Structures are given as structure tokens and as C-alpha cells.
Amino acid sequence: MITGILSASGRSIAVSQEPPIEYAASKINNTVKNLREGLDPDILAYWYKRVEDRSRELVPEHLKDKVHFEQDRILWMKFKMDVSKRAVPTVMQVIEEYIPMMPYSTGLYFRKVQEILTEEMNKDLR
């Protein structure tokens, strides 16, 4: 239950009537729920598809078939990335563009994807 009170400036402020421990527990539960939902395989697949489609729009014509992501059929949170080295900068740019729109944990997941892509590109430079 939430009731309102007036502040000194005359504005109404919502105040929770539940005990502080229950309020904190509900906030923590909601935060954990949101983090867990951001790592749902369907949500990851959605964002992979958006990154793939946008990357294909931006790469030169001869690289359009060189950007492909495929979800593992057994381990649903695992994706196979088949990306040409010449298309990697574009994919990285698209991921960076989409991260602010993603749920927090999905954004962290794609930051890790960027890190892996960077490591793979650096391996080839050695």
C-alpha cells in the first residue's frame, strides 16, 4: 500500500507503508528478476537477429552473406558467429549502437561478445 504526503514545497510524495525490510526485499527481487529476464535465450536471439540484420544493411554488398549468427539447438544461450574479418568493425559498431536499448544484463552479454570479437581479431594480428 502506498499513501501520499505533501512535502514542504507542496508536492505530493509517495511513501511506502510496508516495512523497510520487505520493501528492500521486493526491490532486490525485482532487480534479480529483470537481470534474469535479460539473459533469456529468446531475448538474446532477438538482439542477435537485430544485430545481424542491421550489420547486413551496413556492410558492402559483397559481405552481406558473410555476417551470420546461429543459435545452438542444445545450449540455447550459445550462439555461433560466422563473421568475415572485414565485417567485424561494422558488427561491433551495431552492437555498440544497440546496447543502450537492451536490458542491462543483455547489454553486459553483448559487451562480452564485443570483447571476444576483439580478442579473435587480435589473435590474427599476432
Side-chain angles (χ1 to χ4, degrees), residues 16 18-34:
S16 174
E18 59 188 320
I21 292 178
E22 288 179 22
Y23 177 73
S26 71
K27 293 291 270 183
I28 291 169
N29 285 338
N30 286 338
T31 301
V32 170
K33 180 182 171 196
N34 290 339

Side-chain angles (χ1 to χ4, degrees), residues 23-66:
Y23 177 73
S26 71
K27 293 291 270 183
I28 291 169
N29 285 338
N30 286 338
T31 301
V32 170
K33 180 182 171 196
N34 290 339
L35 290 173
R36 187 175 50 234
E37 287 174 357
L39 291 176
D40 182 85
D42 292 335
I43 291 174
L44 294 176
Y46 168 79
W47 285 104
Y48 267 108
K49 183 66 175 155
R50 287 199 61 186
V51 169
E52 179 181 22
D53 290 346
R54 181 71 176 139
S55 297
R56 284 184 176 180
E57 288 175 14
L58 297 176
V59 296
E61 192 65 37
H62 66 281
L63 293 176
K64 292 194 184 297
D65 60 339
K66 303 289 185 185

Side-chain angles (χ1 to χ4, degrees), residues 8 10 25 62 80 82 101 119:
H62 66 281
K80 178 184 177 201
D82 185 19
M101 296 179 245
E119 287 173 4

Side-chain angles (χ1 to χ4, degrees), residues 106-119:
T106 307
L108 291 177
Y109 178 97
F110 275 90
R111 288 274 182 222
K112 188 63 178 177
V113 169
Q114 285 182 315
E115 185 180 311
I116 292 168
L117 284 172
T118 301
E119 287 173 4

Side-chain angles (χ1 to χ4, degrees), residues 61-108:
E61 192 65 37
H62 66 281
L63 293 176
K64 292 194 184 297
D65 60 339
K66 303 289 185 185
V67 177
H68 180 70
F69 305 132
E70 185 178 331
Q71 189 172 21
D72 190 287
R73 295 294 169 210
I74 297 171
L75 302 172
W76 290 98
M77 286 183 66
K78 183 178 177 183
F79 289 79
K80 178 184 177 201
M81 298 179 67
D82 185 19
V83 180
S84 168
K85 292 175 190 165
R86 293 170 289 167
V88 168
T90 304
V91 172
M92 298 279 276
Q93 172 190 341
V94 170
I95 291 172
E96 194 63 38
E97 176 184 328
Y98 282 149
I99 282 179
M101 296 179 245
M102 297 175 182
Y104 179 73
S105 52
T106 307
L108 291 177

